[in-house]
Amino acid sequence: MPRPTASAVIFAINAAIRLGRNMQQAFAQSVRAQAITLPLPNVSLEADLDSAFRYFNNQHPQKGGAQFLSEIEDLQQLHDRAFYDEDRPNLRPLNGREAKRYLDYYRHFRRTQIAAETGRLRPDQVNTQELAALFSIRQWNEGSDPDFSPIRRIAGTLVEIGIDYFNQVPGALNRQSSMGQALEHFLNAFDRIPFADKQKLHRHAE
């Protein structure tokens, strides 16, 4: 199942706060539209299409990368086409730009995972859960799917507002706290507002 939008927004806000004040403005902008550039852990990693494909095919709940496919639609589509299959001629192979994007996913997730496993993940670096949320929000802002929910359509802006607000609150936003739970309830309720129902909005305005 894809990551719930409310949870993704909360994780993304948390990740941005952890990155520190100096990076927050540029980071918020990158979440909204551009490529996400994060300080990756200093971990040696072989990065080629074969390694990336094996990683995202791995179903292990902790070490495998398959856990991220259902959360990031863009990654799932790239993975499906990572190697040309003669039995599926309708799927075109990755072009150069797509292959680079696929490898970027691999580098971010696998390096972060290795650093966490070896105790080398610093407090200012995000974990894999937060990475998945950040990539989800970026793809929603880049996408043009008319069926996107209200939260997906304004996710980048919500993250930006959250960075500014929760940066003033001691500690990062905790989903288990009363404030975190209140925000999650608000976001879930917000997602159910029928903004696209023009007739109701028009009658209400009259």
Side-chain angles (χ1 to χ4, degrees):
M1 292 292 292
R3 175 182 298 281
T5 51
S7 296
V9 169
I10 292 174
F11 276 120
I13 293 171
N14 237 335
I17 293 171
R18 286 154 60 93
L19 287 170
R21 291 176 180 273
N22 293 337
M23 290 187 61
Q24 283 176 5
Q25 185 176 1
F27 177 78
Q29 293 171 353
S30 75
V31 168
R32 295 190 66 179
Q34 305 165 18
I36 296 176
T37 302
L38 299 175
L40 290 177
N42 186 20
V43 174
S44 178
L45 179 70
E46 176 188 0
D48 55 54
L49 285 176
D50 186 55
S51 299
F53 185 80
R54 290 199 308 271
Y55 171 69
F56 288 119
N57 250 7
N58 188 340
Q59 300 286 334
H60 191 281
Q62 280 81 44
K63 297 184 179 181
Q67 59 184 303
F68 307 116
L69 296 180
S70 63
E71 299 183 11
I72 307 171
E73 297 162 22
D74 179 54
L75 175 57
Q76 176 74 74
Q77 293 171 6
L78 292 173
H79 180 66
D80 287 343
R81 295 169 38 227
F83 280 91
Y84 183 71
D85 187 345
E86 292 182 355
D87 295 331
R88 297 185 299 172
N90 57 313
L91 291 179
R92 61 181 178 82
L94 301 179
N95 60 34
R97 181 176 297 180
E98 291 167 335
K100 180 181 181 301
R101 197 161 77 245
Y102 185 59
L103 288 176
D104 282 344
Y105 281 122
Y106 171 61
R107 290 188 187 97
H108 278 83
F109 282 117
R110 188 61 187 134
R111 283 187 176 178
T112 301
Q113 210 171 55
I114 293 173
E117 292 168 358
T118 56
R120 296 160 63 184
L121 191 66
R122 302 195 314 267
D124 64 334
Q125 294 173 322
V126 301
N127 58 40
T128 54
Q129 233 178 358
E130 293 164 336
L131 273 177
L134 296 172
F135 284 126
S136 294
I137 287 176
R138 183 185 69 178
Q139 73 176 1
W140 296 338
N141 282 276
E142 289 178 340
S144 57
D145 189 334
D147 294 327
F148 272 1
S149 69
I151 287 185
R152 287 192 179 200
R153 290 181 181 277
I154 63 169
T157 301
L158 288 171
V159 171
E160 231 175 322
I161 294 170
I163 291 170
D164 290 338
Y165 179 76
F166 287 104
N167 193 45
Q168 309 302 319
V169 179
L173 177 61
N174 182 351
R175 290 184 64 225
Q176 304 306 317
S177 69
S178 58
M179 186 175 292
Q181 291 174 6
L183 177 60
E184 186 161 18
H185 288 314
F186 165 77
L187 293 173
N188 285 327
F190 183 86
D191 222 12
R192 293 192 291 269
I193 298 174
F195 290 106
D197 195 333
K198 296 180 181 178
Q199 291 184 342
K200 284 186 178 179
L201 288 176
H202 180 68
R203 286 199 301 267
H204 182 71
E206 294 177 343

